Amino acid sequence: MTGTTVMNENPLDLLPEVLLGASAVFGLLLGGWLPRHRQWIVAVVAAAACATGIVAAAVAATGESMTAFDGAFAVDPVTSTVRIVVLAGTLVVLALGFAPFRGDARESEFYVLVQLAALGTLMLAGAQDLLLLAAAYLLASIPAYTLAGFRKDGPGTEAALKYYVVGALLGVVLLAGITLMYAAGRATAYPALAEALPAAPEALVAVGLVGLLGGLLFKAGGVPGHFWVPDAVQGSAPPVAAFLATLPKAGALAALYRLVAVPLAGTDVPWPELIAVLAALSMTLGNFGAFFQTDVKRLLAYSTISQVGYLLMPIAATGGSEQAQPALLYYLAAYAVTNLGAFAVVCALPHAHTLDDYRGLLRRHPALVLSLIVCLLGLVGTPPTAVFLGKLEVFTAAVDGGFAWLAVVAAVNTVASLFYYLRWIRPAVSYGAPAKTRTPVRPAALLACTAAAASVALGIAGGPVLTILEGAPAR
Amino acid sequence: MLTAIVLLPTAVAALLLCLPRSTPRLVLLGTWAGASATVLALALAVWAGYRTGEGIQYEANVRWIPSAGIGYHIGVDGLSLPLLALTGVLFLACAVHALRQTHRVREFVVLFLFLESTCLGLFVALDLILFFVFFDLSIVAMYFIIAGWGHAGAPRAAMKFFLYTFTGSLALLLGFIGLYLAAAPHTFDMVELARQNPLAGRSLYGGLVLLAVGVGLAVKTPTVPFHTWLPPAHTEAPAEGSAILAGVLLKMGTYGFLRIAMPLLPEAWRSYAPVFVVVGLISVLYGALVALAQTQFKRMIAYTSVNHMGYIILAIGAAATAGTDTADARRLAVTGATYQMVSHGLLTGALFLLAGVLYERGRTYDMDAYSGVAVRAPLFAALMGVAVFASLGLPGFSGFIAEFQILAGSLGPRPVATGLAVLGILLTAALLLRALQRMFMGPLRLPEAPGAARPFPDLRAHEGVAIVPLLVLAVVLGLTPRFLLDIIEPASRGVLELLAR
C-alpha cells in the first residue's frame, strides 16, 4: 500500500456495479408497471446496463489499479477481467432467457434476479474487506436460490431447496471464518490483515481460512461445497443452469485469489497445499460423477465441478509463480465463453434432455452440432480453443509453483474427461435418424455458434489478452 | 510459402462446407484430389528451392502469444522436407483411391483435407506448442474419420484411439512445459531451446522431461507397450484412414523423437538411450511375432508397423551411444531412421490401400477366406506382391536402403540388440510371404460374406492410379537413394551434433 492513499469514495469507480444495481431496481419498478406483453423492455434495459458496464469496465481497465471506498473494493486487472467476463456472460444469459421466459408471468423478475446475482458476483470479485465479502456472498447467493426454483416445478423446487440449504450452511461457515480471521488479525480490511496475520496464531488463521474456503467453494461449485451443483443445474431452467454453472465461479475464484494473494501471502498457513489438494479432489470427483451421466445438464454440471479443479491450480501456485494471475483470469474467461456455448446448445434444443436425444443431429443441424463439438472439445482443452491456452497456462503455473504432481493429476483428469464429452459427441455425429426432430430455438443456436467462434478466436488471439491480465492485484 | 501449403487444404475444406448440399459427389472428390495435387506440387516446389545442407529454410517466425513464449515459427530442413513431401503424396493417393466413396462424401472430404493441414503443419512446426496444436488436431480429425466411416467396431476403436493418443499428447504437453520452464527466458521455440540446451547438467529434471516427452511420442509411434490402440484403430478404419494413420500419423511420433527429444534433451537422451534400444528391439521382435499370429490381413499389416517403427527407435537409441569411433555409424543410423519413415509411409500406405481393395471385393480381411486370388485378379496380386516384397526389405526397394542403414549403423554401437533385431526381418519376411501364399496361390476360393462381390474384379483404374505411384516411388527410392540421402544426411549430422553436447 502506498503511503499517500487518499480516502476515495467516488461511486464512479464502481460504475459497472452501480449501473447493474440501478438497472435491477429500475427494472423491478418498471416490471410492476408494464403490461405483460411489454415486459421485454426490462430485458432491454438490463442488456443496456450490461453493455454500458462492459465499456465502463474496459475504460477502467486501461487506468491505474486503485482501491475505492477506503480500500474495501479494488479496481485492478482481477476486477476488470471478472467484470467484463461476468457482464458479457450476463448478456448471454439474458439473451438465452429471452425466448423461454417471453410472456411469462414473472418475466421481468427473471431479468432482475439475474442482474442482482451478477452484481453480487462482481462485488465478490472486487471485495478487499471481509465484511464486504460476506455481503457480496449473500447478494450473489439469494437471487440465485430464487432463480434455481424459478419454474416452480418439482425439479426446480428440489434444485432451489438443495441449493439454499447448502448455501445457507456454508454461508454460516463463511461468516464463522470471517469472525476467526477478524479475531486473528483484528481487522477486516485485506491490507491490514496482510500485516497482522503473519504474527497471528497459525491455527486460528488456518481454521478461519477453512471457513472462508467453504463459502467460496460453495459459490464456485468446487469440492467440498459442490453438493448442490448437479441437482441445481439439472433442475433449473436451461438459461438459469447456464448462469449458475458459469458466472458465480468467476466471482468466487477471484475472491479466493485475492484472499491468498494479499492477506494470506505472508502467513505460514499451508494454504497452497490445501488448495492444491482441493483442486485435485474437485477435478477427480467431478470427473467420476460425470462418467456415466445420461442427462446433458447433469453431465455439464459435473463437468463444471471438475473445471473448478483446474481453476484452483493457479490459485494454489499464486505464491510460487508469476503466471498464476494471468493463467487464472484467462482460464476464467475461456471457460465462461466455452461453457456458455455448451449451455447455449442445450438451450437451443430444450426438448433434448439425454445424450440419446442428440443422436443423428449433425445432419439436421450441422452448425449447431459443430458448435457443440467445438465447445465440448474446447472444455477438454483441444487446441486451438481458448481453454487449451488456459490449460497450458494453468499447467505451467502449477509446475512453476512447485505443484508438478498436480499438473500430472490434471493431465490424467483431462484424459478422463475426454471420455464423457465423447459420449455426448458420438451420438450427435452418428449416422442415425434423429430421435426428435424439432427446430432449435434460433437465438440460442446463434449464440452457441458465436460462443464457439469466440472460443476459437480467443484461443488464437490469446497473446494480447494474456498481456492485459498481468499486473499485481491492488492493495 | 509453407503457411500457404499448410492452410490450403483447410481453406478448401471451408469452401466445400459452403457449397450447397446437392453438390455432386465427384465435384467434392475431384476438389479433394485437386487440392492434394496442388499441395504436392507446392511441396515439390519447396523441395526444388531447398539448398542442401544449409539448415532450416523457408522460415517464418511471427509473434503469436509472446507472453506465454509461443510463436508461430515454421520452417523445413532435411528431416521435415521428406515427410512433407510424403504427406503430399499419400494424401493425393488417398484422394484418388477414394473416388468411389459414396457414404457422406462431403464430411469425409472435409475431414481429410483438415487432417492434411494438421499433418503438414506438424512437420513444419518449429515451436513446441504449434507442434502440439497440430498433433492434437490430427487426433481429433482421425477420430471422426474412424468413428464415421469405419467398419462395425469403429466407435470403440475410435474411442480407444482418441483416449490413448490424447493421453500421450498430454504427457507430451507436460514435457513441453518442463522444457519451457527450464529455459531462460521461457520459450517454446525449438530452435531457441536447441541453442540454449536448458536442461544441461540437471539430470533428474531432464530425465523427467524426457520421460514425459518419450511416453507421449512412444504412444503415437507406437512402440511396445503403448501399441495396443493401433491394431483396432487400423482394422476398423476405412482404407484411406488406415493408410494415412500408418503412413503419416505414426511418423509424427518418430519425427518428434528426432526433432524434439534428441536435440532438445541431449544429456537425458544419452543417459537413457539403452531404454530406447531395448524398447525398439522389443517392438521389432514382438511386433513381428504377433503379426505372425494374425489371421486378419489388415491386423497383420498393423503389427508389422509396430515392427517397422521399432527399427527407427532402435536406430535413434543406438545413435546416442558414446564413442568417437562410431560417429559414422551413428550418422548412418539416424539417416536410416529418417529414410525408414519415408519408406514405411509409402509401403504401408500402399498395403493398406490394397487391403481396402480386398475388403471392397470380399467384405472381410480374413486371410483364410481367400485363396488363389491371383487367378482372378492378376494385377492386384502383382501389386500386392511388389508391396509385400518391398515391405520385407528386399534390395531394390526403399525398405532395403532404410533397414540396411539402420542395421549397419546400429551394429557398431549396439551389436547385441542389432543382431537380435535382424531376426525381425526374417520373421516379417516369413509372415508376409505366408500371407501372400495363402491368399493368392492355390485353388480359387472367395469369401461368401453378405454383400461380397462374387466375381472379384481386378484392380480398377482409380485404385491403380492411387497405388502404383506409391510402389514406383518405393522402387525409385530403392534404386536411386542419393537424391533423398543428400537431403537427409546433413540434417542427421546436425541432430547428432546437437546430441553430442
Side-chain angles (χ1 to χ4, degrees):
Chain A
M1 185 162 63
T2 47
T4 54
T5 313
V6 192
M7 179 83 97
N8 175 357
E9 297 192 349
N10 183 1
L12 281 181
D13 293 335
L14 270 69
L15 190 57
E17 288 79 11
V18 169
L19 275 171
L20 203 58
S23 146
V25 174
F26 181 62
L28 198 60
L29 297 174
L30 204 62
W33 285 97
L34 286 170
R36 188 174 290 181
H37 63 277
R38 290 252 176 81
Q39 301 235 325
W40 56 269
I41 296 176
V42 181
V44 174
V45 173
C50 289
T52 325
I54 292 173
V55 175
V59 171
T62 57
E64 296 254 317
S65 292
M66 59 167 172
T67 58
F69 289 91
D70 207 6
F73 192 90
V75 182
D76 56 13
V78 181
T79 312
S80 298
T81 315
V82 174
R83 272 175 175 171
I84 294 174
V85 168
V86 168
L87 288 172
T90 308
L91 263 180
V92 174
V93 170
L94 289 170
L96 288 177
F98 193 75
F101 290 113
R102 188 87 182 81
D104 191 282
R106 291 165 294 139
E107 189 186 351
S108 57
E109 281 87 336
F110 170 76
Y111 305 131
V112 171
L113 286 170
V114 167
Q115 288 182 83
L116 287 174
L119 175 60
T121 306
L122 291 188
M123 299 306 290
L124 263 182
Q128 277 261 71
D129 188 300
L130 290 175
L131 292 179
L132 185 61
L133 185 75
Y137 174 88
L138 291 175
L139 181 55
S141 299
I142 294 167
Y145 304 146
T146 328
L147 278 172
F150 198 74
R151 284 199 300 199
K152 283 197 188 168
D153 53 2
T157 312
E158 192 196 336
L161 198 66
K162 251 200 176 136
Y163 194 16
Y164 172 72
V165 170
V166 179
L169 172 69
L170 290 175
V172 175
V173 172
L174 176 92
L175 287 175
I178 289 175
T179 315
L180 292 176
M181 282 287 185
Y182 182 50
R186 313 229 174 268
T188 56
Y190 286 8
L193 282 174
E195 281 167 27
L197 285 186
E202 201 181 311
L204 198 60
V205 179
V207 178
L209 170 70
V210 170
L212 281 165
L213 269 175
L216 291 175
L217 283 175
F218 160 75
K219 281 269 61 147
V223 173
H226 66 288
F227 291 103
W228 60 275
V229 180
D231 295 298
V233 169
Q234 188 188 12
S236 47
V240 175
F243 182 88
L244 293 182
T246 315
L247 298 184
K249 275 187 185 34
L253 291 165
L256 185 56
Y257 170 71
R258 225 179 256 295
L259 201 62
V260 299
V262 183
L264 287 168
T267 63
D268 294 330
V269 181
W271 56 265
E273 288 77 13
L274 177 63
I275 292 175
V277 168
L278 288 174
L281 283 177
S282 237
M283 53 182 92
T284 313
L285 289 181
N287 277 339
F288 272 128
F291 265 153
F292 295 107
Q293 296 302 329
T294 49
D295 186 287
V296 289
K297 274 195 283 177
R298 217 172 161 79
L299 189 147
L300 279 178
Y302 278 109
S303 113
T304 78
I305 298 176
S306 74
Q307 295 282 347
V308 177
Y310 305 118
L311 282 160
L312 286 173
M313 287 167 69
I315 299 183
T318 297
S321 171
E322 282 178 7
Q323 279 201 341
Q325 182 183 316
L328 170 71
L329 297 178
Y330 186 83
Y331 199 111
L332 268 177
Y335 170 70
V337 171
T338 316
N339 204 42
L340 283 174
F343 269 104
V345 175
V346 175
C347 291
L349 301 164
H351 301 288
H353 297 295
T354 66
L355 299 178
D356 231 25
D357 292 341
Y358 282 77
R359 188 165 298 283
L361 268 184
L362 179 66
R363 271 192 100 65
R364 197 159 284 274
H365 311 297
L368 190 62
V369 173
L370 275 181
S371 316
L372 180 71
I373 294 172
V374 170
C375 288
L376 291 184
L377 288 181
L379 286 175
V380 181
T382 309
T385 58
V387 177
F388 162 66
L389 190 55
K391 272 206 171 134
L392 177 65
E393 288 286 297
V394 300
F395 283 20
T396 309
V399 175
D400 199 20
F403 289 100
W405 65 268
L406 186 58
V408 173
V409 171
V412 172
N413 267 295
T414 303
V415 176
S417 73
L418 180 65
F419 175 72
Y420 57 82
Y421 292 120
L422 281 184
R423 280 187 66 231
W424 190 353
I425 293 176
R426 209 163 67 185
V429 299
S430 71
Y431 192 62
K436 285 176 185 156
T437 56
R438 296 189 214 222
T439 43
V441 180
R442 199 142 249 271
L446 214 60
L447 275 173
C449 298
T450 317
S455 165
V456 175
L458 184 62
I460 291 173
V465 179
L466 275 171
T467 323
I468 297 169
L469 303 178
E470 285 159 7
R475 287 185 161 206
Chain B
M1 182 75 171
L2 291 178
T3 308
I5 295 181
V6 171
L7 291 184
L8 177 82
T10 302
V12 174
L15 274 179
L16 287 183
L17 278 179
C18 301
L19 290 179
R21 207 171 275 240
S22 57
T23 314
R25 203 171 62 75
L26 278 177
V27 172
L28 296 168
L29 290 164
T31 318
W32 177 18
S36 297
T38 317
V39 166
L40 180 58
L42 288 173
L44 291 180
V46 168
W47 189 311
Y50 181 81
R51 296 178 307 282
T52 308
E54 289 180 29
I56 295 161
Q57 291 164 40
Y58 292 96
E59 218 172 338
N61 194 354
V62 186
R63 290 157 58 86
W64 181 18
I65 308 177
S67 49
I70 306 170
Y72 179 78
H73 191 178
I74 55 172
V76 285
D77 65 359
L79 292 180
S80 43
L81 191 53
L83 291 169
L84 195 69
L86 172 73
T87 308
V89 169
L90 274 179
F91 272 92
L92 180 56
C94 286
V96 175
H97 190 265
L99 276 179
R100 284 250 171 158
Q101 180 68 249
T102 50
H103 178 56
R104 290 205 280 178
V105 176
R106 201 223 303 249
E107 289 92 335
F108 190 71
V109 169
V110 165
L111 275 173
F112 264 96
L113 284 168
F114 178 64
L115 184 63
E116 184 168 7
S117 272
T118 64
C119 297
L120 296 166
L122 184 124
F123 292 129
V124 299
L126 290 177
D127 183 280
L128 291 175
I129 292 304
L130 201 60
F131 181 92
F132 181 82
V133 166
F134 289 122
F135 193 90
D136 244 20
L137 285 177
S138 74
I139 301 175
V140 173
M142 188 44 91
Y143 166 78
F144 285 112
I145 288 172
I146 299 177
W149 287 267
H151 308 313
R156 266 190 83 84
M159 178 80 101
K160 195 171 181 185
F161 162 76
F162 203 145
L163 288 178
Y164 260 80
T165 44
F166 198 76
T167 313
S169 82
L170 283 171
L172 201 57
L173 185 63
L174 287 180
F176 289 175
I177 290 175
L179 272 169
Y180 166 80
L181 289 174
H186 295 342
T187 179
F188 283 109
D189 193 285
M190 290 185 208
V191 179
E192 175 67 18
L193 283 169
R195 200 182 56 74
Q196 278 194 14
N197 191 14
L199 291 173
R202 301 160 79 174
S203 59
L204 178 67
Y205 192 163
L208 285 174
V209 171
L210 181 63
L211 178 69
V213 172
V215 167
L217 295 172
V219 170
K220 188 84 178 181
T221 300
T223 67
V224 176
F226 305 108
H227 67 288
T228 48
W229 62 267
L230 181 91
H234 272 285
T235 315
E236 300 300 336
E240 295 83 7
S242 306
I244 294 299
L245 188 55
V248 183
L249 262 60
L250 299 192
K251 306 301 169 298
M252 293 181 173
T254 48
Y255 172 75
F257 278 121
L258 281 170
R259 169 67 70 205
I260 297 168
M262 288 172 82
L264 305 192
L265 297 159
E267 239 181 66
W269 184 270
R270 282 196 311 260
S271 354
Y272 294 97
V275 177
F276 290 93
V277 172
V278 171
V279 167
L281 176 64
I282 294 176
S283 297
V284 165
L285 294 178
Y286 179 85
L289 283 172
V290 180
L292 194 61
Q294 297 306 313
T295 54
Q296 267 205 10
F297 183 67
K298 218 174 174 185
R299 258 185 116 76
M300 187 192 80
I301 306 293
Y303 276 109
T304 61
S305 289
V306 177
N307 162 278
H308 281 118
M309 293 292 110
Y311 289 116
I312 299 181
I313 304 297
L314 173 69
I316 56 181
T321 314
T324 45
D325 52 328
T326 53
D328 283 340
R330 288 183 286 146
R331 199 175 70 241
L332 206 55
V334 172
T335 309
T338 314
Y339 212 86
Q340 172 78 329
M341 289 190 219
V342 179
S343 157
H344 178 258
L346 293 171
L347 294 173
T348 324
L351 276 172
F352 275 117
L353 291 182
L354 285 165
V357 173
L358 187 72
Y359 185 84
E360 210 250 333
R361 312 283 197 274
R363 295 287 144 199
T364 175
Y365 293 118
D366 197 355
M367 286 188 282
D368 290 334
Y370 300 91
S371 173
V373 173
V375 181
R376 270 298 161 75
L379 189 56
F380 174 62
L383 286 186
M384 187 69 100
V386 172
V388 160
F389 278 108
S391 186
L392 58 83
L394 209 66
F397 293 104
S398 56
F400 172 73
I401 308 279
E403 278 165 27
F404 174 76
Q405 294 194 74
I406 286 177
L407 295 175
S410 311
L411 192 62
R414 295 282 170 194
V416 180
T418 313
L420 288 171
V422 175
L423 290 177
I425 295 193
L426 283 177
L427 282 172
T428 27
L431 70 97
L432 284 168
L433 287 177
R434 200 175 57 130
L436 204 60
Q437 196 180 10
R438 268 155 89 180
M439 288 162 63
F440 291 95
M441 311 296 162
L444 179 67
R445 183 158 42 86
L446 291 172
E448 305 205 24
R454 282 301 289 171
F456 207 97
D458 205 353
L459 224 52
R460 296 195 179 84
H462 69 93
E463 291 162 346
V465 171
I467 296 165
V468 169
L470 298 179
L471 296 175
V472 169
L473 268 175
V475 174
V476 169
L477 287 181
L479 295 177
T480 58
R482 220 43 257 174
F483 77 98
L484 185 57
L485 288 176
D486 284 340
I487 297 262
I488 297 175
E489 271 169 359
S492 45
R493 201 176 301 130
V495 168
L496 285 172
E497 271 165 22
L498 289 172
L499 184 65
R501 287 176 301 169

